[in-house]
Amino acid sequence: MAEFIKCSGCGRVLFHTELMQSWKVCGHCGWHHRLSARERIEATFDPGTFEELDADLVSVDPLGFPEYREKLAAAEQKTGLRDAIVSGMARLDGLPVSVAVSDFAFMGGSMGSVAGEKIVRSLERAAERRCAAIQFCASGGARMQEGMLSLMQLPKTNAGVQRCRDAGVPYIAVFTDPTMAGVLASYASVADVILAEPRAMVGFAGARVSKQAGVGKVPDDFQMAEFAHKHGFIDRIVARGELRDVLAALVRILGARCYAG
Amino acid sequence: MPAKTWKEWEGPVLELQDGIAKLRQMAAKEADSAKRKALESKIAEYEARLAKYIDTQYSQLGPWEKVLVARAEPRPYTLDFIQAICSEFIELEGDRRYGNDPAIVGGPAVFRGRPIVILGHQKGRNIQQRQYRNFGMAKPEGYRKAIRLMQMADRFGLPVVALLDTPAADPGVDSESRGISEAIADSILTMLGLRVPTVAAVIGEGGSGGAIGIGVGNHVLMLEHAVYSVIPPEGCAAILWRQPERGDEAAAALRLTAQSAMELGLIDRIVPEPKGGAHRAPDVAALSLGDELERSLKELSGLTPEELREQRYRKYRSMGVFGTAG
Ligand SMILES: [Zn+2]
């Protein structure tokens, strides 16, 4: 890890150790730098309570897609992860929660078969164990290299949401930078509660797609969490420093019935 | 260089067809019987050549050619199919939220004696129609219209048939501000939860989230030359090689044909198209689609509301291919 980091918000050079004390929020301008899945878990849940599950799932190359295997290997090398989702059980103020966290550093957090499977399992786990489900999203969308299989992860992950609804367990999604396309158009957008970090990118079509489709002038805050919030598609924008407490309160209140039984 | 449009690709066939039509007119006007005979034999010769040409051309359609055929303007669209297979259809246009989106049409209908609710993406053929239908790219209103129609079907115990034919959902600023992603996600969730039989059929272009937004079915069918893809091949090529013109290579890599979807276990059946594609004989294509829809509805009619929901859950729950380490 580099000792210094240049802030993406204000350009100031920050000490890495200092930045990590605020979980990568710039002390000068408040810019929220991306967290890895492991950092996110450490920043959010009760210390030492995270138990990883389904860590053995690995992406294969079902279509024989150009350069996919190489990209997977490079991503694994870079992140130490087997795919873009880290999931398992953890506790929040002592209450058990089923969590899945997306890591943007692994192929842009893209959702292929493994991510879809881990997400749906974590949602099902919440329904079975009668606890809250928490999904941290950070993804460019569906994983192109798995073609139609990736597209089918949209209904697949939503099937997990259906299970949570049937079981009456709360499901909370947190949009972190970026939450886009196929992920936004599936499980992310149908959570009981949707929170977002400030200035996270949140949108359906990537800039390239919009441009190709001839979308002209866009508002300054287009595809930012603030834009989606203004239009009613995000419930609250929560600074990273307050996220843990907001999540804990939501889990406790919405999950009152599950945790009482 | 591969052809960029269906017209370009089918150019020789279309020319031959035009030529035959002209010869026919000449033959009809020809008073001299010997000359007429000669013209008629010429016509027969050209027709044989045309049939053979179509035969070879369509027996070896590659993924890219299928993309072109799936996008072909004369290909039957949702309303063409509805008109051909339903004896009654009352289009209902409101989403009860914001407005009417002409890119998704639907309403109650009678299909081979069965009351159903049918809906689908709608494209336009000429410039005005294309603009009116927004090239078949639905906005949030379209998905919310679909949701309300499906919920109505659910209340009245009517099966839902959805026809998919869209390049993508609308990527514009107004769609984004009215929650296109939420609309698609909610539509998918609604379809998963329906307690009536649902059959989805990709009739042309199955374009990514815009298509799956109304594509969740107990059974999913695809027309023989339809395509279904997570990203347009040109967009994929732009990302992979920064060369959108290599769409043909991307189409092959994406495995977006009905045949691949079948191999990957993502659809239930392929609906055969008439020789030369659905646009050569729309009535034959409609009959073929009607038969397969009827078969699905018959098969599903034996399931209880809970079984239908569970079947759908298990179906989508099992989609994906992965391995385990160690
Ligand atoms: Zn800063």
Side-chain angles (χ1 to χ4, degrees):
Chain A
M1 204 39 103
E3 207 175 327
F4 300 102
I5 287 168
K6 199 174 166 207
C7 175
S8 311
C10 63
R12 280 193 180 83
V13 175
L14 311 164
F15 276 108
H16 183 256
T17 45
E18 190 191 325
L19 192 60
M20 282 314 286
Q21 276 167 14
S22 59
W23 293 113
K24 292 192 181 170
V25 176
C26 175
H28 304 280
C29 71
W31 186 270
H32 286 51
H33 296 87
R34 282 177 194 143
L35 291 180
S36 72
R38 303 253 181 243
E39 288 166 344
R40 175 67 67 180
I41 288 163
E42 214 185 313
T44 311
F45 302 104
D46 298 354
T49 62
F50 178 69
E51 176 205 350
E52 186 170 358
L53 296 162
D54 304 321
D56 58 332
L57 301 192
V58 289
S59 287
V60 292
D61 180 17
L63 308 188
F65 198 92
E67 296 162 45
Y68 187 27
R69 281 178 191 279
E70 292 82 346
K71 285 200 171 105
L72 284 171
E76 191 172 341
Q77 185 79 23
K78 178 174 146 195
T79 61
L81 302 174
R82 290 209 174 99
D83 212 286
I85 295 278
V86 177
S87 59
M89 294 295 294
R91 283 179 181 265
L92 199 51
D93 273 358
L95 296 174
V97 287
S98 177
V99 304
V101 183
S102 181
D103 198 316
F104 187 75
F106 195 104
M107 290 189 73
S110 58
M111 179 165 69
S113 297
V114 167
E117 181 70 18
K118 284 186 158 188
I119 289 163
V120 81
R121 283 192 195 181
S122 81
L123 292 165
E124 287 173 335
R125 197 142 46 224
E128 282 155 21
R129 302 193 186 184
R130 300 202 55 71
C131 66
I134 297 176
Q135 296 279 339
F136 277 94
C137 310
S139 172
R143 185 171 292 170
M144 185 177 78
Q145 290 83 354
E146 292 187 22
M148 250 184 285
L149 287 163
S150 293
L151 185 60
M152 293 308 143
Q153 304 311 305
L154 276 64
K156 175 166 172 166
T157 53
N158 269 10
V161 178
Q162 181 181 275
R163 277 297 196 252
C164 286
R165 288 195 180 183
D166 287 352
V169 301
Y171 156 40
I172 302 160
V174 185
F175 296 178
T176 73
D177 186 54
T179 298
M180 301 292 292
V183 164
L184 189 65
S186 63
Y187 72 100
S189 283
V190 285
D192 293 301
V193 177
I194 297 174
L195 309 177
E197 288 198 330
R199 304 175 79 173
M201 242 184 109
V202 174
F204 178 65
R208 207 194 306 250
V209 177
S210 302
K211 213 172 164 187
Q212 240 174 21
V215 174
K217 249 180 109 72
V218 300
D220 289 341
D221 62 350
F222 187 57
Q223 294 192 333
M224 300 282 268
E226 286 73 10
F227 179 87
H229 173 253
K230 180 170 77 191
H231 290 285
F233 295 99
I234 286 172
D235 297 314
R236 280 180 87 87
I237 297 193
V238 183
R240 195 168 289 165
E242 282 134 46
L243 197 51
R244 207 205 84 87
D245 289 347
V246 173
L247 279 172
L250 285 167
V251 164
R252 182 167 27 82
I253 298 167
L254 298 177
R257 191 178 53 193
C258 336
Y259 294 114
Chain B
M1 267 310 261
K4 281 208 165 45
T5 64
W6 162 80
K7 250 194 184 133
E8 194 184 323
W9 177 70
E10 268 207 344
V13 178
L14 298 177
E15 273 171 34
L16 207 49
Q17 270 177 333
D18 273 1
I20 291 169
K22 274 186 198 130
L23 283 177
R24 276 233 179 77
Q25 279 176 353
M26 281 167 66
K29 280 186 215 146
E30 186 57 65
D32 186 301
S33 76
K35 280 184 184 166
R36 197 171 58 234
K37 273 241 167 69
L39 278 171
E40 274 162 1
S41 76
K42 200 91 192 144
I43 290 169
E45 187 198 321
Y46 280 165
E47 272 180 338
R49 199 188 292 177
L50 177 69
K52 204 169 160 217
Y53 200 92
I54 289 174
D55 247 12
T56 25
Q57 184 101 324
Y58 274 82
S59 65
Q60 46 191 312
L61 285 191
W64 177 246
E65 286 73 36
K66 295 223 181 214
V67 170
L68 300 180
V69 171
R71 291 175 181 168
E73 290 118 51
R75 199 173 163 83
Y77 294 151
T78 290
L79 285 172
D80 302 317
F81 277 121
I82 292 178
Q83 204 161 38
I85 65 174
C86 295
S87 57
E88 285 176 81
F89 171 60
I90 316 285
E91 190 180 346
L92 302 180
E93 296 170 319
D95 76 335
R96 309 290 180 82
R97 294 287 181 275
Y98 178 85
N100 173 31
D101 183 357
I104 286 185
V105 297
V110 178
F111 165 66
R112 300 194 179 174
R114 292 163 192 265
I116 63 166
V117 166
I118 191 163
L119 54 99
H121 305 98
Q122 181 63 35
K123 293 179 174 177
R125 276 203 185 87
N126 57 38
I127 290 172
Q128 291 92 331
Q129 280 295 312
R130 269 204 284 277
Q131 266 169 5
Y132 175 63
R133 303 290 182 184
N134 195 29
F135 307 91
M137 298 191 294
K139 297 182 175 179
E141 301 79 85
Y143 296 98
R144 291 183 182 128
K145 181 203 286 183
I147 291 171
R148 72 135 297 217
L149 288 174
M150 295 187 289
Q151 286 173 337
M152 187 179 72
D154 201 55
R155 283 200 295 280
F156 300 120
L158 302 173
V160 173
V161 172
L163 305 181
L164 280 51
D165 189 18
T166 179
D170 180 70
V173 175
D174 49 347
S175 284
E176 195 75 75
S177 61
R178 293 196 294 276
I180 185 68
S181 304
E182 189 274 345
I184 290 173
D186 194 28
S187 186
I188 292 172
L189 192 60
T190 301
M191 284 190 107
L192 279 167
L194 294 176
R195 291 176 158 80
V196 292
T198 56
V199 185
V202 188
I203 57 170
E205 267 186 292
S208 190
I212 191 69
I214 57 166
V216 179
N218 289 110
H219 283 185
V220 179
L221 316 176
M222 265 180 95
L223 259 64
E224 190 181 342
H225 304 315
V227 294
Y228 208 166
S229 184
V230 70
I231 183 171
E234 294 91 334
C236 176
I239 292 172
L240 268 185
W241 307 297
R242 307 201 177 280
Q243 291 173 296
E245 62 277 12
R246 286 168 73 181
D248 56 328
E249 288 167 68
L254 285 165
R255 304 266 303 268
L256 42 60
T257 66
Q259 295 68 28
S260 290
M262 197 74 196
E263 281 162 25
L264 293 166
L266 304 179
I267 60 168
D268 297 271
R269 291 196 309 281
I270 296 173
V271 180
E273 291 190 28
K275 199 170 275 180
H279 57 288
R280 283 232 146 63
D283 48 336
V284 180
L287 200 65
S288 180
L289 176 64
D291 287 348
E292 294 300 329
L293 287 173
E294 190 178 12
R295 181 176 155 196
S296 279
L297 291 178
K298 267 188 190 151
E299 281 174 24
L300 295 167
S301 67
L303 300 182
T304 66
E306 270 320 304
E307 284 169 345
L308 287 165
R309 215 166 170 259
E310 191 57 25
Q311 187 267 359
R312 230 178 277 123
Y313 179 84
R314 271 185 278 107
K315 181 189 187 75
Y316 286 94
R317 178 66 186 78
S318 70
M319 286 184 186
V321 177
F322 53 86
T324 46

